[in-house]
Amino acid sequence: MTAREALQTQLERGIATLGTVLPEGAVARLLDYRELLERWNSAYNLTAVRNADEQVARHLLDSLAIVPFVEGTTLADLGTGPGLPGIPLAIAEPAREVLMVDSNGKKVRFLREAIRSLKLTNGRALQSRVEDVEGTFDCITARAFASLADMLGWGGHLLAPGGVWLAMKGKHPAEELDGVPEGFTVEGIHVLTVPGVEGERHLVVIRRA
């Protein structure tokens, strides 16, 4: 078994454990994305996760774990870094438009190359601070780049009325809940069990009134 075949087996088992159904060809594209990330990482330092097995678990499967909670036809991934969870989510649902936002120029250059080489026609990359982004989106994802209050303070204007904000957190953010601003309601906090990922993972689902 080649190294890629072993990673494919790990990824497919993880997807089955999560109960996620992906379109045809998605697994190959996810593995292509991981390889591209690994190639660029030596020069651009895009992720601290260097081990291939860990990248499958902590990047790909961790991103796919929130698929059941994603809604609507437009999504913005704020503070996306090298495209997490944005690129896996764009691969998982080709009909959904995904905008990936980061202020780091190196990461956005990588994103544009990933979108091009993976032929992600539903993906776009934008170099910007969150508070300067324009438009509204049915769904917003963010991987714990700030407290809930700060996230919504900087980017809450981007969430369409009735839209859902998915904040990916480690530990249960009990102490942050009081800071959720008016006009937003915490609908639920879900424990995520991600195959191959140790430690706590929580998803905070916030609805805009």
Side-chain angles (χ1 to χ4, degrees), residues 67-198:
V67 165
F69 302 94
V70 179
E71 298 179 9
T73 59
T74 56
L75 182 146
D77 182 27
L78 306 181
T80 187
L84 298 163
I87 284 183
L89 293 180
I91 290 171
E93 181 44 85
R96 181 177 290 119
E97 294 294 325
V98 177
L99 175 69
M100 289 163 272
V101 181
D102 204 277
S103 60
N104 183 301
K106 288 191 295 187
K107 289 175 179 173
V108 173
R109 279 198 291 280
F110 166 74
L111 283 172
R112 289 183 175 138
E113 173 58 22
I115 288 165
R116 187 196 64 78
S117 64
L118 296 169
K119 297 181 173 61
L120 274 182
T121 56
N122 61 325
R124 285 192 302 132
L126 175 67
Q127 184 180 348
S128 174
R129 299 187 315 158
V130 169
E131 50 267 54
D132 295 334
V133 179
E134 296 178 349
T136 57
F137 302 86
D138 299 331
C139 187
I140 289 178
T141 52
R143 273 177 72 149
F145 67 80
S147 69
L148 296 177
D150 284 343
M151 281 186 190
L152 293 166
W154 294 329
H157 65 286
L158 299 172
L159 191 59
V164 67
W165 185 295
L166 304 176
M168 302 171 73
K169 293 279 187 178
K171 292 180 179 174
H172 191 293
E175 69 286 353
E176 297 180 27
L177 300 179
D178 287 343
V180 173
E182 201 172 334
F184 297 91
T185 305
V186 176
E187 272 197 352
I189 301 175
H190 303 272
V191 177
L192 299 179
T193 304
V194 183
V197 178
E198 294 181 3

Side-chain angles (χ1 to χ4, degrees), residues 10 20-21 24 28 49-51 58 76 82 99 104 123 125 163 172-173 203:
Q10 179 194 352
T20 304
V21 178
E24 189 176 351
V49 181
R50 306 281 178 177
N51 177 281
R58 291 171 60 184
L99 175 69
N104 183 301
H172 191 293
L203 182 70

Side-chain angles (χ1 to χ4, degrees), residues 31 41 77 79 85 90 150 205:
L31 293 172
N41 205 36
D77 182 27
D150 284 343
V205 179

